[in-house]
Amino acid sequence: MTVLVVFASFLLAANMHVDAESSVPGASIVLQNAAEKGMTMPAIGIGTGGYGAPAETWNDGVAMKAVSTWIKLGGRRIDTAWDYYDQTGIGKAVQAAISSGAVKREDLFIVSKTHMLPGYNDTLFQLEDSLKQLQVEYVDLFLIHLYVPLPNATDPNCRPGRSDLEPACVKSTWKAMKEIFMRGRKGGARSVGVSNFALSHLGYISDDEVQPSVNQVEYQPYWHEEDLVEFCRNRNITFNGYSPLGTPDFGPRARNWNCSLLELPLVKSIATAHNKSSAQVLLRWNWQQGIPVNPRSEQEEHMKENLAAILDETFHLTDSEMHALSNISPKPKCPKVCSACTPNT
């Protein structure tokens, strides 16, 4: 673990960036591969996925309020998707913040994603529809959301019956993503990448001349796949962790889900030792490994805590604390938040 911490410290030093144009300085990661030269991504963003939440608890209105609060507090990265069904609300929050003079468009880092693995034409449509909903000319990062082909995809490479369905659909979808990247700020994306891709899925495009800039995957003490992280780093793919807190509000809606990290005695004891919250400990565990995160929250106080966990340069977990969090035993048998996502293969 000592080697991991030393490597992470070097990684952070090499990629730490202060955004001179932003109203709030912050830590960020330099993106490579399919990204604008010198482009940086804020280390922490706000997640806006409902994870199956009922419409009355997570919708456009809730997302609009959450994103408005996030921007007010200095948060600059906003993570959404075409199939989160909240981009219209997020777009209203973004435009309100820009119109008020609180931020400029270039201060924000907006991330969107496809619905599943759509194939060529549907990927282009979902990007264009996302831009309309968000009321922006481009997104900063656009991701293939999942390696599972869209059931009603129009792309023949993504229709059931092919013996090579998954790799053919990934390659065809990635072709559209490259076109989106080439459009850049003129109706496209400043960078493109993937989400929930395991080693086998990344392998489908490993020989392509354009590699993903980001792979966004669930990452927390119960689910941390170091071989996938290492693979991505060796290929200059930024590994971005989602659900870093174990998605505590997902539990009541999921069957056989007993994976609360916030109440884990180990996490609580470390939090007490540092006079921090359990959430801050878990976020710091990610960042000390050089992994940017995007926790979801509706509460202003939680957002403040989340930002402080990353931006507070005096807050550091010890080597032994990092090791303990990485080696929790016994681990509960928890499914991934993404039910279709299997452990790395």
Side-chain angles (χ1 to χ4, degrees):
M1 186 63 195
T2 301
V3 174
L4 173 61
V5 174
V6 171
F7 172 74
S9 298
F10 170 78
L11 182 71
L12 289 176
N15 290 281
M16 190 68 76
H17 177 82
V18 176
D19 297 307
E21 295 184 1
S22 175
S23 59
V24 179
S28 61
I29 290 286
V30 177
L31 297 185
Q32 301 183 66
N33 297 336
E36 285 184 359
K37 185 176 181 180
M39 181 178 180
T40 61
M41 180 175 79
I44 184 167
I46 183 171
T48 65
Y51 300 118
E56 62 269 20
T57 61
W58 191 263
N59 51 44
D60 273 316
V62 175
M64 179 173 66
K65 182 179 178 182
V67 170
S68 295
T69 302
W70 179 248
I71 294 173
K72 179 188 72 174
L73 295 174
R76 293 296 178 258
R77 179 156 61 91
I78 303 160
D79 187 277
T80 185
W82 189 81
D83 56 356
Y84 286 174
Y85 308 112
D86 58 11
Q87 292 191 137
T88 298
I90 292 171
K92 290 178 180 178
V94 166
Q95 289 308 311
I98 293 173
S99 297
S100 71
V103 293
K104 292 181 281 188
R105 170 63 185 91
E106 55 266 31
D107 293 331
L108 300 175
F109 193 104
I110 301 174
V111 185
S112 188
K113 313 176 195 73
T114 65
H115 176 39
M116 302 178 69
L117 184 66
Y120 182 82
N121 290 327
D122 291 321
T123 295
L124 297 178
F125 166 77
Q126 289 177 17
L127 176 278
E128 291 159 4
D129 193 48
S130 292
L131 296 181
K132 291 178 183 177
Q133 292 181 50
L134 292 166
Q135 301 181 57
V136 293
E137 294 183 5
Y138 63 90
V139 290
D140 298 276
L141 174 63
F142 195 58
L143 304 174
I144 298 175
H145 208 164
L146 185 62
Y147 55 83
V148 179
L150 189 67
N152 59 345
T154 60
D155 189 334
N157 292 294
C158 301
R159 292 174 184 165
R162 293 183 63 111
S163 59
D164 62 344
L165 174 61
E166 197 172 87
C169 191
V170 167
K171 290 178 181 179
S172 188
T173 303
W174 188 242
K175 180 181 178 182
M177 296 295 282
K178 290 190 291 183
E179 182 175 319
I180 288 167
F181 174 53
M182 292 302 294
R183 294 181 186 179
R185 300 187 188 216
K186 296 181 179 180
R190 297 175 61 214
S191 60
V192 294
V194 297
S195 180
N196 297 307
F197 269 42
L199 293 176
S200 58
H201 312 120
L202 291 169
Y204 298 149
I205 53 174
S206 62
D207 59 349
D208 197 290
E209 72 278 7
V210 178
Q211 290 295 291
S213 62
V214 171
N215 186 16
Q216 188 181 113
V217 179
E218 181 174 357
Y219 196 85
Q220 32 97 340
Y222 289 151
W223 281 110
H224 50 101
E225 302 162 83
E226 278 81 7
D227 53 348
L228 180 59
V229 174
E230 182 179 6
F231 180 93
C232 289
R233 283 179 174 158
N234 287 340
R235 288 156 180 79
N236 295 322
I237 301 171
T238 294
F239 188 95
N240 175 196
Y242 71 78
S243 297
L245 309 181
T247 318
D249 62 342
F250 178 70
R253 302 192 302 274
R255 301 174 66 182
N256 303 317
W257 197 96
N258 183 26
C259 309
S260 177
L261 281 164
L262 296 177
E263 297 301 319
L264 197 68
L266 171 64
V267 177
K268 293 176 74 174
S269 67
I270 295 174
T272 299
H274 291 273
N275 194 28
K276 299 292 184 181
S277 70
S278 292
Q280 287 177 310
V281 167
L282 294 169
L283 294 175
R284 195 70 199 182
W285 175 80
N286 276 267
W287 185 230
Q288 282 186 212
Q289 297 177 68
I291 296 174
V293 292
N294 32 277
R296 179 165 64 88
S297 178
E298 301 173 42
Q299 306 301 321
E300 183 169 343
E301 286 306 308
H302 291 170
M303 293 183 198
K304 289 179 181 178
E305 287 186 356
N306 294 346
L307 284 165
I310 303 300
L311 302 180
D312 183 357
E313 296 181 3
T314 67
F315 177 30
H316 294 283
L317 301 178
T318 66
D319 287 10
S320 60
E321 289 167 341
M322 291 288 291
H323 179 81
L325 290 168
S326 298
N327 294 276
I328 295 173
S329 182
K331 291 182 181 179
K333 294 182 179 179
C334 304
K336 284 194 168 188
V337 171
C338 170
S339 60
C341 302
T342 56
N344 185 45
T345 54

